[in-house]
Amino acid sequence: MAQGRLTTHVLDTATGRPAAGVQIQLSRINGETSEHIKSVTTNDDGRVDGPILDGEDFAKGAYELVFHVGDYLDTLSGTRKEHRFLDLVPIRFGIDDPDQHYHVPLLISPFGYSTYRGS
């Protein structure tokens, strides 16, 4: 059985704080189709309670995390914009070694984002 796991966290670089309450969807990508695996929400620390994917479900392949940052940013401003600059942020990535820890963090602000493979 694979020993690796997938984790994430979301940091709000505009406020310098963790982004709590961000909904995240994980899907496995199979060619032109995707299979929804799990939906989670960040806690007060901007993290998810436990790995998003681990154990026998953690396998080689292509995956996508979709971060619902528009809803989070609306809560900060107190208004819902009809046309948000950022709304859904998809990050596609590959898992090549199911025995490793894959950490995919997201750094957001109202007008930009970045990611990297963390530890």
Side-chain angles (χ1 to χ4, degrees):
M1 178 170 25
Q3 299 296 311
R5 66 194 186 283
L6 172 64
T7 58
T8 189
H9 73 273
V10 184
L11 298 175
D12 183 335
T13 58
T15 65
R17 300 176 46 89
V22 176
Q23 182 184 349
I24 305 165
Q25 296 171 320
L26 171 66
S27 298
R28 187 181 324 261
I29 307 301
N30 298 309
E32 297 298 316
T33 64
S34 65
E35 170 194 355
H36 179 263
I37 297 173
K38 190 178 204 178
S39 294
V40 295
T41 303
T42 58
N43 60 24
D44 289 343
D45 196 31
R47 298 182 182 276
V48 179
D49 296 327
I52 300 173
L53 193 63
D54 63 354
E56 61 187 47
D57 295 327
F58 192 74
K60 286 184 179 184
Y63 294 85
E64 181 177 64
L65 289 168
V66 177
F67 297 83
H68 293 247
V69 300
D71 292 337
Y72 165 78
L73 293 169
D74 284 351
T75 63
L76 293 182
S77 69
T79 60
R80 169 133 170 62
K81 295 182 179 171
E82 182 179 356
H83 300 287
R84 302 167 174 148
F85 183 75
L86 290 179
D87 188 16
L88 302 178
V89 174
I91 299 174
R92 285 202 176 182
F93 59 96
I95 293 175
D96 190 49
D97 184 351
D99 287 321
Q100 289 191 19
H101 177 195
Y102 285 75
H103 184 68
V104 183
L106 180 67
L107 308 177
I108 62 166
S109 76
F111 300 104
Y113 66 91
S114 66
T115 190
Y116 56 94
R117 180 167 177 197
S119 58

